[in-house]
Amino acid sequence: MSNHTADGETTGPAAGGVQSVDRAVSVLEILAQRGEAGVSEVAAEIDVHKSTAFRLLGALEARDLVEQATERGKYRLGFGIVRLAGAVTGSLDLIQQGRPVCERLAEEIGETVNIAVLQEHYAVNLDQVRGPGAVGTYNWVGQLTPPHATSSGKILLAHLSAKERAAVAAGSGMQKLTPHTITAKTKLEKALAEARERGYAVSLEEFEIGLHAVAAPIRSRDGEVIAALSASGPEYRFTEERIHELAPVLREGADEISHRMGYID
């Protein structure tokens, strides 16, 4: 059970957990700076007993974040670090390559433009550029949205295998968020097939009443759909007719980002 000291600092298991995380990060930083280090060096650097340093290194080794060097007793960063860094680098690269295109499209279309990726059973917005006509100040970056109800989610779902789509649908729960949300599997599959065929997906008040959106796929170097580029706005202005008129512009933007990511048609 945790308790509090006179100055309000938490003690007990929760505090111990935070301290362990802090020490583990310090160990990674030491190895990053030195290249490799032994248990004694690590213990001295973070001011803990050798047994504590050994346990920390063991826990990090179990997750492939550190590994033992050829010289016995020495540790260095492991390939688990590369895996984690690769995920972040991919997202940062996507934002970097997509931002100029998003800025141009937001100006041209006049609505909010987003880049989203699929994470587990959510579509997650990575970047946003507001158009000159954008209403409100809502920031979608970092927001987890149900893929069956959003244009970005639909275009990402459309390019998964049937098995992967079923897993995402089961995880998301396919909730009916508005009277227009598609929750029937057969109806959704039809909408996804249509999206694949025409190269863009639409959401008409399916996520939120009064909100319309359209999204196109962004591809990686090997042609895999890795993200969605979307434009969204109020239904009174961003009408269904206007969406279909502007869809080719959005598709061209998505293709440009794909090329920037190394994709060649």
Side-chain angles (χ1 to χ4, degrees), residues 137-161:
T137 57
Y138 192 77
N139 186 2
W140 291 97
V141 176
Q143 294 295 313
L144 307 178
T145 60
H148 70 289
T150 61
S151 61
S152 293
K154 283 184 191 175
I155 207 72
L156 292 166
L157 282 176
H159 292 88
L160 294 179
S161 67

Side-chain angles (χ1 to χ4, degrees), residues 3-262:
N3 48 62
H4 295 268
T5 59
D7 62 1
E9 186 181 344
T10 304
T11 60
V18 172
Q19 188 181 48
S20 295
V21 172
D22 189 55
R23 285 172 171 172
V25 172
S26 295
V27 171
L28 295 176
E29 288 174 341
I30 290 162
L31 296 181
Q33 288 165 4
R34 299 191 179 188
E36 55 183 49
V39 178
S40 299
E41 292 172 78
V42 169
E45 189 75 28
I46 61 174
D47 195 23
V48 297
H49 195 273
K50 268 183 72 173
S51 61
T52 302
F54 188 76
R55 281 199 304 272
L56 283 168
L57 286 161
L60 291 168
E61 188 176 20
R63 296 300 187 99
D64 297 324
L65 297 175
V66 306
E67 62 186 21
Q68 290 198 50
T70 46
E71 186 188 336
R72 186 160 176 78
K74 294 278 188 180
Y75 289 83
R76 64 188 175 204
L77 294 179
F79 275 95
I81 291 285
V82 177
R83 185 178 66 245
L84 294 176
V88 176
T89 304
S91 296
L92 291 177
D93 195 32
L94 187 57
I95 293 169
Q96 185 181 25
Q97 298 302 329
R99 178 57 72 88
V101 178
C102 289
E103 288 174 344
R104 192 187 72 238
L105 287 176
E107 189 70 34
E108 191 175 339
I109 295 173
E111 306 292 354
T112 299
V113 175
N114 274 280
I115 290 178
V117 296
L118 201 61
Q119 184 176 305
E120 294 182 359
H121 47 268
Y122 294 105
V124 186
N125 292 288
L126 296 181
D127 198 22
Q128 171 177 300
V129 177
R130 287 164 48 76
V135 177
T137 57
Y138 192 77
N139 186 2
W140 291 97
V141 176
Q143 294 295 313
L144 307 178
T145 60
H148 70 289
T150 61
S151 61
S152 293
K154 283 184 191 175
I155 207 72
L156 292 166
L157 282 176
H159 292 88
L160 294 179
S161 67
K163 186 178 178 182
E164 288 170 326
R165 276 201 302 278
V168 172
S172 70
M174 297 274 288
Q175 290 183 316
K176 198 166 186 69
L177 304 174
T178 78
H180 307 286
T181 309
I182 299 173
T183 55
K185 187 183 175 184
T186 50
K187 197 172 178 184
L188 180 62
E189 282 294 333
K190 187 180 177 184
L192 297 181
E194 194 174 52
R196 276 192 301 273
E197 191 177 327
R198 65 188 179 191
Y200 65 92
V202 299
S203 173
L204 306 173
E205 296 189 276
E206 294 166 46
F207 178 62
E208 193 179 287
I209 291 294
L211 183 69
H212 281 183
V214 57
I218 296 171
R219 298 178 185 275
S220 66
R221 185 189 301 272
D222 60 8
E224 179 189 356
V225 172
I226 53 169
L229 177 70
S230 70
S232 58
E235 54 83 24
Y236 65 81
R237 185 176 65 219
F238 204 41
T239 61
E240 186 173 0
E241 184 183 7
R242 184 159 165 73
I243 278 174
H244 292 300
E245 282 174 9
L246 290 167
V249 176
L250 192 76
R251 281 185 58 183
E252 284 173 17
D255 287 345
E256 186 180 337
I257 298 173
S258 299
H259 293 148
R260 284 168 167 259
M261 295 297 289

